[in-house]
Each structure stands twice: as structure tokens, then as C-alpha cells.
Amino acid sequence: MNQTIAISAQNVIKAFGQGDHAVRALDDVSLDIRKGEFFTLLGPSGCGKTTLLRLIAGFEMPSGGTILLDGADITTLPPNKRPVNTVFQSYALFPHLTVAQNVAFGLEMLGKSKSEVTARVAEMLALVKLEPLAHRKTSQLSGGQQQRVALARALAPQPKVLLLDEPLSALDLKLRKEMQIELKRLQTETGITFVFVTHDQEEALTMSDRIGVMSAGHLQQVGSPKEIYTRPKNRFVASFIGETNFLGATRDPMGYRLDCGIVVQAPAAQADRVTLTIRPEQLRLVPEAEGDIPAKITNLVYFGTDTHCHMSLPDGTEVTARLQSPSDGESGLQIGQGIGLRFVPGALQVLEE
Amino acid sequence: MSGPASGKTASSKPASGNQTSTGASAAEQALVKASVRSGWLLSTPALVLLALAAVGPLLIMLVYSFLTPGEYGNVEWGFSTDAWTGILFTRDVFDDTLRLEDAHLSILWRSVKLSLMTTAFTFAVGFPTAWFIATRPQRQRGLWLFLITIPFWTNLLIRTLAINEILRTEGLLNNILIGLGLITEPIQIIYTDTAVFIGMTYVYLPLMVLPLFAAIDRFDMRLLEAGYDLYATRLQVLRRIILPVVKPGIIAGSILVFVPALGAYVTPRILGGGKQMMIGNFIELQFGQGRNWPLGASLSVTLLVIVTAALLVYVRFANREVTRG
């Protein structure tokens, strides 16, 4: 992959309101987005991800910090001077124009020649498979079709970066799955850098080359979907993406001593008091005598493909293991039964607090 | 609609079901007929009122315009087209030839000119006003709209007389300007086209602002960001996005201002004095001192034709603009 940087946010601060009432939507965020990658900003609502997107688009000016595009400072550039286009959450299609006119809008504003506009619009409509609807008004289209028009319109001027603000949130589940694949295809075919904002962790994991997890105006962790999932940096990232178990532990000469008294091996950290995390599918259940840790089954929940086994450790800590359901659906486990827990080697992660 | 449709399904069904479904469809048809009948019945008062109050007087006007004037007003039965030629021409007393009547032409021209100016100016002033109101927080909008409609609470005559007080030679405006030392002699505003224009702009401004507000209120402000994002300048966003999208409001406002302005009577009467007449005053003159009812009638019909033609052209033009983008 080409490793040059498309967007670089440096110590970006965005405060809303004034004086004592000011709220920092973004608090000293620094981030590099590589050229040609599918980058996702993931976080709960109000975490600042949309604000960061709007700063890149130029709809808002940062209260502090710098934003670079291909190494050039665009911090104070108005949105119509930035070679960056946006797919809006509400699509914001022009209701008085046809599909083709919507797609042509940006090209016309850039002063492209008529023949060039016509050719490019045809190309874009083919890309999103909307040629038969070129002369329809956008109000006559379904949600999924409007979504495609919004994509074609934003891609037509060949922006250096395409910003997507939760574009799939208005679609139903089936359409959303289709559009996820479609978006990934468009990104690969055009080679344009995509910056995608979502609160849906599954969407982020399936589509992204890299993910930036945000919370409370801070960037918590940046990494590939695998890194984010298997090596979360802190408690927020670990719990926001997928399900996980948290175990309190204290540093011990032999490794870490869990609160239930058992010493385990895990990557070294600075602090004496840490939280360890392990994913439910990385826990193995064995007969009580063979396990590293004794546990007691408190509940069993059947999900079809797998079964969630809720257990309590000797110190009262609750943990969950995800077991693949056997072919006959009978796990042979019973609520109240004692059982042994074993960690998959290397699966235990240490979190920074 | 439902009657024939259900009849069709009935005929395609096997014979056993035929009896009942035909019966149902007949009952349905009877119901539809009954509802159509009761619809006509309910709207009869309105239709009678319209026939008596709108179509009737119009027909009378049309008939009167082809009669000859009576000596003391009213009409005498006798066919004549003099009232129609009299709109634009005057008959020479000596050689009986027709000459263009400058006074009539100037009245017609003034009416159209002042109405167009009023429409244009109320739009220029009303659009920013409507935009301002529509972009206030929801709770403040009611107050602003209330302020806009306050003038409607007072009689038009009284409001126009109040403007007269401001504009007249020893009026408020001249006194202030003289007091400030900007002028030494009062400016003659009252009884000029300017005074009529100022008065009409004031009177018709709310009629422009309200439909514009309604259109801008529905406007999705996110389209502005979409426009800027796609490299449009502020002016291009205004021209290519805002104006086309709120066009129905612009059309409605323009019609609401232009139509009554063209037939304005009170404002030109008071602020224009007797000299700066518009069609409305001219028509009144024919039915009053002029004692030429046929001419008044032909002028009224002409006014109606001008307004209708202007509206048709304008709406056609505006619609084409919308579809062309």
C-alpha cells in the first residue's frame, strides 16, 4: 500500500460554546490518514467523529491545530476550495435537479467543459449502476438509489478524499449489507481515500483498512480491524468493539495475579494495578480439575451458531465464554455446574487505564 | 373508479360468484354516485355565490363595454365599440380620425411599471427578511411573523394616510431632513410616482414575505453545505440551489403582490393625488365624474386580461426554468 499521507490532523481542537460553557468536541486530536486507504472513524454518538469529518470538509473551522491535505495546510480553506467531497448522512440531494444534473453539479462548478461533464456523469452513473434513472427527479428514488446518487455526485469531481458521514444509517439491514460491499468495491475501483464515519462497529470491522476509535473528543486507538479487535489499547476500545471480559490484576514477579488469586502470563505493562481482557471466544472450558481457574456456570444462552456460557470466578468476577454449539445443540453443560477455565495462549491483553 | 374496476373482476370470476359480486359492484356504483351527488349538493351555495358575485358582474361589465354612455352616467342600449377604441385612442372632434391618447397610455404604462417595480422591490427586500425569519430559532419565528402581519390589523386607508403624513411637503421626512441640514427646501415626494411606489411597497411587502417564508422554511439548509462541498461559491449556491428550490414561494409572492398592485386604488389615490393615476383610479373616474360607464367597463375587462396574460406567461416561464434547472 502507498504509505504517503492524504489527511493529517495535528493537535486539532474544536470547542463549541464560549467561556465556562465551552465544550470540547475534539480535544487535541492528531491523526494521519494514508492515501488510498479506507479509514473509518468509529465511536458512539457525541464522540467527535462527525466534528472531525466536518473540519476536514471545511464546514467548521478548528479552534486550534492544523489540518493538512497532501502536505498543504487547508485549515482555513473554505469547503468550496478543498478537493474533498462529502456523502451526507441525509444525502442532501438537490430536489430541483435530476439524477444526472445532481452528479454534474460539482463538475459544472469546477468549470469543466460540457463534453467532459457529460462523459464523466455517464461514467459515474455506470459506476453506481444508475444509468436507467439518469433523468428521474431524486424524489422519485428509493433510499438505496438516493444513496448511490449521493455517492456518484461526490465521486464525480474526483476528490482527493471522500468523506462519508454515516451514509448507511438510514438504510434497512439488507440494503446496508449490500451497500457495505458496494462501498468497498467503489473505493477499490476508484482508489480514492475514503474517510468513513460510523457508530456501527461491525460496519467498521468489515470495510476498513484502518479504524480510528474515538470517545469523548479523544482518539483512543488507531489500527487495522484485527489490531483493534485483538489488541485493544484500553477499556473503552475493548468494550466498544465486540464483547469482552475484564479481569482485575496486580503485577506479580511471576506475571499478573488475578483478583481470584491465580497468577497468569500476559504482556508486561508499566502499572502495578492493571485490567486484563480476553474475548469470550478465547476462553476454553475444561473439566474442573484441568483448568487454570475454577469457575461456576451461572447461565447458558443459546444463540444458534454458538452458546454463551456465563460464569462467576471465585472472587465473584463475571466472565462469559462463547462456545461453538455442538451439532445436536446439547453442550452437556448445566447451570450451577463447576468448571475449569483455560486461556488461549497469547489471547490475554493488558489494558492501559 | 372503484365501480368499473370491481365490475371487471366480477366478470372474470366463475359464474357462481358472479351474482354476488355484480350486486356488490352495483351497490358500490350507487354509493359513488350518491357521494358525487352529495358533493355537488354541498358545494351548491358556494357555486351560486360565485355565479352571482363573480361571473355575473363580469358578464355585465362585458355587455356594458359594448353600449353607449348615458348623459348622467349609466348606459344606453345601443351597440358601440367606442369604449374599446377609447382605451388607447381618442377621436378627433374635427376630422373624426383616431389618434393615440397619450394620457391613457401613460396611465396604463404607469400602472404596469409601478406594479413591476413594486413586485421587484418587495422581492429584493422581502427575500432577506423571509430568510432571516426562517433561520431564527423555532420559538422566535412566531414573534417575527406576528410583527410582519401587524399592518394588516389596521385599515389600509388609515395606513396610507399615515404615509401621507410622513411624505408630504411639511411632513416628518422633510422636517427631519431639513432639521439635519441635509436639504434647505422640502423635496416634492408626495403626489409623485415615487410616493405611490413607496406606499405600494409598504402595503404589499407582507404578501411577498409570507409565501417566501413558507418556501424558505421548507428549504433543507443542508443543501447549502452540499453546494459549498461541490465547489459552488456563495453566489452560485444562491443562484443554482436556493432560488430554484424556493421558486414556488417566489412565484406565489410575486403574484400576490403584482395582481393587487396593478389594480391598486387607495394608494395611488391618496399618495398620487389626482394626477398620478393608475388603472384603478382611471376606472373609478369613468364611473364617477367621467360618466362613461362603457369605457370604465372596457378598462376593467382590459385589466383582467392583462393580469391573466401576465400570470400565464409568468407561470409558464417560471415552470420552464424549474424543469430546465
Side-chain angles (χ1 to χ4, degrees):
Chain A
M1 186 192 286
N2 190 342
Q3 295 289 297
T4 45
I5 303 302
I7 290 279
S8 178
Q10 297 172 348
N11 308 100
V12 169
I13 294 169
K14 178 65 188 178
F16 290 105
Q18 266 156 20
D20 296 340
H21 300 292
V23 179
R24 281 199 172 184
L26 289 176
D27 197 356
D28 199 11
V29 169
S30 295
L31 169 69
D32 284 340
I33 296 170
R34 295 172 195 148
K35 202 168 270 186
E37 77 175 334
F38 195 123
F39 190 93
T40 299
L41 287 168
L42 174 66
S45 59
C47 70
K49 58 190 192 299
T50 295
T51 305
L52 183 54
L53 198 78
R54 291 175 60 80
L55 288 174
I56 299 173
F59 300 139
E60 316 258 1
M61 294 293 148
S63 318
T66 330
I67 295 171
L68 306 180
L69 173 65
D70 284 352
D73 189 345
I74 59 162
T75 315
T76 56
L77 223 53
N80 56 352
K81 298 267 163 56
R82 300 185 185 201
V84 166
N85 290 127
T86 310
V87 176
F88 295 88
Q89 187 171 13
S90 58
Y91 313 145
L93 299 178
F94 302 128
H96 58 299
L97 302 180
T98 64
V99 169
Q101 287 168 336
N102 261 282
V103 177
F105 191 88
L107 298 166
E108 285 170 6
M109 292 302 112
L110 286 172
K112 301 278 190 227
S113 73
K114 230 185 182 104
S115 57
E116 199 178 338
V117 171
T118 316
R120 185 96 187 111
V121 166
E123 190 188 330
M124 282 299 115
L125 289 178
L127 188 67
V128 296
K129 303 180 186 118
L130 276 181
E131 299 111 309
L133 304 178
H135 301 293
R136 291 271 191 92
K137 280 282 172 73
T138 55
S139 54
Q140 300 168 319
L141 304 182
S142 72
Q145 289 166 337
Q146 293 190 10
Q147 169 76 80
R148 286 162 193 271
V149 179
L151 270 168
R153 184 179 73 174
L155 283 171
Q158 287 167 307
K160 288 188 170 155
V161 177
L162 185 76
L163 307 174
L164 302 106
D165 184 10
E166 305 216 22
L168 307 183
S169 59
L171 303 178
D172 62 52
L173 186 67
K174 188 169 171 292
L175 209 51
R176 197 153 67 220
K177 298 275 183 207
E178 280 175 30
M179 283 309 293
Q180 285 178 11
I181 296 164
E182 185 80 10
L183 272 178
K184 190 68 190 165
R185 175 182 71 87
L186 285 175
Q187 197 263 332
T188 322
E189 273 178 35
T190 57
I192 290 172
T193 312
F194 275 34
V195 182
F196 184 88
V197 158
T198 184
H199 61 267
D200 183 338
Q201 43 124 345
E202 190 193 305
E203 224 165 73
L205 290 175
T206 52
M207 292 196 289
S208 321
D209 292 320
R210 287 197 307 151
I211 299 172
V213 184
M214 291 189 72
S215 156
H218 292 274
L219 200 58
Q220 303 291 341
Q221 186 175 358
V222 179
S224 71
K226 278 176 197 147
E227 278 167 15
I228 298 274
Y229 188 77
T230 58
R231 291 199 297 282
K233 246 168 96 180
N234 57 34
R235 202 180 175 106
F236 175 81
V237 176
S239 63
F240 191 74
I241 291 133
E243 288 166 42
T244 197
N245 296 302
F246 293 114
L247 304 164
T250 328
R251 196 145 60 155
D252 187 271
M254 304 293 291
Y256 289 99
R257 181 177 296 276
L258 298 179
D259 291 350
C260 60
I262 290 165
V263 176
V264 293
Q265 298 300 317
Q270 298 290 320
D272 284 338
R273 178 73 199 161
V274 295
T275 299
L276 303 182
T277 182
I278 185 158
R279 298 285 177 188
E281 65 274 17
Q282 307 288 5
L283 283 175
R284 296 283 176 266
L285 297 191
V286 291
E288 201 168 359
E290 298 168 25
D292 297 333
I293 309 168
K296 195 171 163 197
I297 298 176
T298 55
N299 200 7
L300 288 163
V301 184
Y302 180 64
F303 276 87
T305 54
D306 46 31
T307 303
H308 289 192
C309 177
H310 298 269
M311 293 160 289
S312 70
L313 302 186
D315 63 317
T317 310
E318 298 281 337
V319 295
T320 304
R322 189 181 296 160
L323 313 168
Q324 210 167 26
S325 299
S327 51
D328 60 357
E330 291 303 323
S331 58
L333 298 171
Q334 304 221 312
I335 295 172
Q337 183 189 345
I339 197 127
L341 270 185
R342 202 177 268 177
F343 299 131
V344 170
L348 204 56
Q349 295 295 318
V350 183
L351 300 178
E352 294 169 0
E353 280 306 305
Chain B
M1 283 291 260
S2 62
S6 52
K8 206 182 235 173
T9 50
S11 65
S12 67
K13 276 181 183 171
S16 62
N18 224 348
Q19 199 62 37
T20 50
S21 17
T22 321
S25 111
E28 248 173 64
Q29 273 172 352
L31 263 176
V32 169
K33 267 185 194 161
S35 84
V36 167
R37 205 183 310 130
S38 71
W40 276 103
L41 214 61
L42 284 171
S43 50
T44 304
L47 291 174
V48 169
L49 197 65
L50 271 177
L52 289 179
V55 181
L58 272 177
L59 285 175
I60 294 175
M61 278 294 141
L62 201 60
V63 171
Y64 273 23
S65 69
F66 288 104
L67 299 178
T68 42
E71 207 169 324
Y72 303 103
N74 213 330
V75 286
E76 280 174 8
W77 288 91
F79 180 79
S80 162
T81 53
D82 280 358
W84 286 97
T85 48
I87 293 172
L88 291 180
F89 301 99
T90 180
R91 199 172 286 278
D92 196 288
V93 195
F94 302 107
D95 55 10
D96 209 32
T97 53
L98 289 175
R99 278 188 294 107
L100 273 176
E101 173 59 89
D102 293 342
H104 295 190
L105 280 177
S106 79
I107 288 171
L108 286 175
W109 167 236
R110 177 183 301 117
S111 301
V112 173
K113 180 187 74 177
L114 283 177
S115 302
L116 286 176
M117 279 171 61
T118 304
T119 310
F121 194 74
T122 48
F123 174 70
V125 178
F127 189 84
T129 311
W131 186 272
F132 172 82
I133 298 174
T135 49
R136 287 315 93 194
Q138 194 73 45
R139 290 188 316 147
Q140 287 179 28
R141 279 184 217 174
L143 177 69
W144 287 108
L145 285 175
F146 171 71
L147 292 176
I148 287 283
T149 53
I150 275 187
F152 288 136
W153 295 40
T154 317
N155 184 288
L156 172 62
L157 192 61
I158 294 168
R159 283 185 286 147
T160 313
L161 285 169
I163 292 199
N164 188 18
E165 274 305 299
I166 296 173
L167 297 182
R168 70 190 172 89
T169 318
E170 290 89 28
L172 196 62
L173 182 67
N174 273 315
N175 284 345
I176 288 175
L177 289 178
I178 291 172
L180 288 173
L182 293 173
I183 51 171
T184 50
E185 290 291 308
I187 330 168
Q188 179 69 37
I189 302 174
I190 197 75
Y191 308 141
T192 64
D193 281 0
T194 311
V196 178
F197 171 64
I198 291 172
M200 291 211 298
T201 302
Y202 159 70
V203 170
Y204 297 123
L205 185 59
L207 298 179
M208 180 62 89
V209 171
L210 292 176
L212 280 179
F213 164 78
I216 296 171
D217 191 40
R218 282 195 305 271
F219 181 79
D220 181 358
M221 293 296 165
R222 289 172 294 201
L223 296 183
L224 301 183
E225 282 188 350
Y228 294 134
D229 188 63
L230 292 163
Y231 313 106
T233 61
R234 291 170 74 91
L235 195 66
Q236 282 169 323
V237 166
L238 178 70
R239 253 173 26 81
R240 298 284 303 262
I241 300 171
I242 300 173
L243 290 182
V245 173
V246 303
K247 200 153 218 163
I250 300 176
I251 293 175
S254 303
I255 290 173
L256 283 180
V257 171
F258 181 77
V259 172
L262 198 59
Y265 174 73
V266 172
T267 313
R269 180 70 215 280
I270 293 174
L271 300 177
K275 295 178 296 178
Q276 310 300 318
M277 266 192 274
M278 286 176 62
I279 301 181
N281 312 97
F282 191 48
I283 292 172
E284 191 265 350
L285 188 67
Q286 305 311 320
F287 285 98
Q289 295 154 302
R291 290 182 195 159
N292 192 345
W293 287 24
L295 181 58
S298 65
L299 282 167
S300 302
V301 177
T302 308
L303 177 62
L304 187 73
V305 170
I306 294 176
V307 167
T308 314
L311 285 188
L312 285 178
V313 168
Y314 184 62
V315 169
R316 176 78 52 87
F317 169 74
N319 279 343
R320 187 179 307 148
E321 277 289 292
V322 169
T323 45
R324 199 161 51 95

